[in-house]
Amino acid sequence: MSADTEHGHGGEPEEWFASAKKIYPMAVHGLFRKIKWTLLFITLGIYYFLPFIRFDRGPNAPDQAVLVDLTGRRAYFFFIEIWPQEVYYLTGLLILAAVALFLMNAVAGRIWCGYLCPQTVWTDLFLFIERKVEGDRRERIAFDKEPWTGKKIAKRATKHFLWLMIAWWTGGAWVLYFADAPTLVTELATFQAPWSAYIWIGILTSTTYLLAGFMREQVCIYMCPWPRIQAALTDEKALNVTYRWDRGEPRGSLKHNKQLEAEGLPAGDCVDCAQCFHACPTGVDIRKGLQLDCIQCGLCIDACDTVMTKVGKPTGLIGYDTDENIQRRIEGKDPIYSIVRPRTIIYAAVIVAVGLTMLTALLTRDFAGINALHDRNPIYVIQTDGSIRNGYSVRLLNKRTHTRHFMLHVEGMPQGTKVEAVGVDTTFADRPIIEIGPDQTRELRVLVTSPAGVKMPESTPIVFRLTESVMGEVVTAKDFFKAP
């Protein structure tokens, strides 16, 4: 191996990676900052307090509005109840989430990342705490360079304590979705909760504290796969946070640009203040063009608009736009915003189709179930009077939270056929009346006997029909009646 390969052309060791530089985002005020604060309060409010909302589902059912009941093998969302065998609803939700992400990307790039991603939301909250304790950008930079004193230790301790409290509350709120929230809070406070609850709270406290407090933009830039996927999905019609260089260049200080204007030379509106760069939470200088690191949060827009207002120039030097529109303005044409186009229509149609499919399946699903399994040996039994008997193992399911009564009937057999459920005494016209407890299954041995003197074919398709006695709900299972 040559010296140049080992140490680089200049004789210095070649760097294989760049160390992360600490970013000190500046506080900004404006429309997009207000939108972000509003969404932060809404999303965190839902996350932290939703487990405490009650919803009456009747007897023998939990009254927590949103609950994943692992013990009871149920998931509840207000009036919706999901059972283990309905895992396809989870698949549908994942499809909806993915296509909704594609739609947001087609409309305005990484707006999910900039406004709704949990990493962004909690990082915003942690930055708010940091600014309140240590000051804004300049103060934090100077504060980091100060020697360690009692005042510095106190401020750092305060900041990290508040971060840990938020992280702990985040982990604690998560476990409340898997048990009755008020009960679990009491158990946690009295150290009587299951050990798994404390473990998960510890895990989520740690991850929240580390990701939102220390790793921040590193998660968005390096750990998250969405920027790479998004870059492959975007097109020239998608709105992205854009520096309108056709208006901003050539950039320069306010004094310099005014001098150029006085001399009749071209001068841009950008005063080269770098406020857009200082406001960016991922350290992007948007004037260099669209970059993978940009999360489309719009804070650079607020920072630039504030400066433009102060220097008496129109706002909107940075905004949600397309490169295509910049070229159109250079050519003297009006900009075109194509939010509704084939790509967005297809995404919206897929969301509607999947959503309607899931809703239809949810509204038409059964709250009872029946399965029938024919005896393997003997397949049939010939009685002394010439009648033929078949035996079946029948499993009945009651998905409701109260006891229900069902009538069992067999269709496809000639008149006079007898249906007997072993162990069930109550019958009505040879139709057993079966009681099934709340949220239970019941397995029965059912004997079906053809009338004596009736010639039966070798195989007769039959249907076991189970009818609920109050609401009339009907479920069926198909099988065959065998004969010589």
Side-chain angles (χ1 to χ4, degrees), residues 133-356:
V133 176
E134 298 179 356
D136 204 357
R137 183 177 187 274
R138 291 182 180 178
E139 290 83 358
R140 296 203 307 279
I141 293 174
F143 184 72
D144 279 355
K145 295 178 181 179
E146 291 178 3
W148 285 97
T149 62
K151 182 179 180 181
K152 183 172 182 177
I153 292 173
K155 282 190 173 183
R156 276 288 158 84
T158 300
K159 180 184 76 172
H160 286 280
F161 172 77
L162 294 174
W163 281 2
L164 282 169
M165 289 299 98
I166 294 172
W168 169 76
W169 194 9
T170 301
W174 175 257
V175 300
L176 298 182
Y177 285 92
F178 296 87
D180 182 68
T183 303
L184 184 56
V185 167
T186 302
E187 292 176 348
L188 289 168
T190 56
F191 300 100
Q192 296 178 345
W195 60 268
S196 56
Y198 294 104
I199 290 177
W200 279 109
I201 291 174
I203 292 173
L204 292 167
T205 298
S206 302
T207 53
T208 304
Y209 177 67
L210 292 173
L211 296 180
F214 296 93
M215 302 181 71
R216 293 183 180 174
E217 76 284 347
Q218 304 297 312
V219 175
C220 304
I221 297 172
Y222 300 112
M223 294 176 63
C224 179
W226 178 236
R228 282 83 183 165
I229 301 172
Q230 180 267 342
L233 290 173
T234 193
D235 61 13
E236 69 279 359
K237 302 290 185 182
L239 297 173
N240 289 289
V241 173
T242 305
Y243 168 62
R244 294 174 172 129
W245 54 267
D246 58 309
R247 173 186 152 190
E249 298 298 324
R251 76 184 75 156
S253 67
L254 181 61
K255 181 179 179 180
H256 177 69
N257 282 358
K258 284 185 176 180
Q259 184 179 349
L260 290 176
E261 290 175 355
E263 296 174 359
L265 298 174
D269 284 353
C270 178
V271 296
D272 206 14
C273 62
Q275 294 298 289
C276 55
F277 171 64
H278 293 156
C280 180
T282 60
V284 168
D285 187 347
I286 196 62
R287 295 173 297 176
K288 296 180 180 179
L290 184 61
Q291 298 160 62
L292 190 69
D293 300 358
C294 177
I295 61 172
Q296 307 288 321
C297 64
L299 294 181
C300 57
I301 301 176
D302 287 338
C304 184
D305 285 351
T306 300
V307 173
M308 290 295 102
T309 301
K310 287 181 179 178
V311 301
K313 293 183 179 293
T315 59
L317 179 58
I318 301 174
Y320 282 95
D321 207 345
T322 66
D323 289 338
E324 190 178 67
N325 281 337
I326 291 178
Q327 191 61 39
R328 290 182 65 86
R329 279 190 290 269
I330 292 175
E331 297 171 358
K333 301 177 181 178
D334 293 332
I336 297 176
Y337 298 98
S338 304
I339 294 177
V340 180
R341 57 188 192 276
R343 179 184 293 238
T344 56
I345 291 173
I346 290 172
Y347 288 151
V350 171
I351 291 173
V352 171
V354 174
L356 288 177

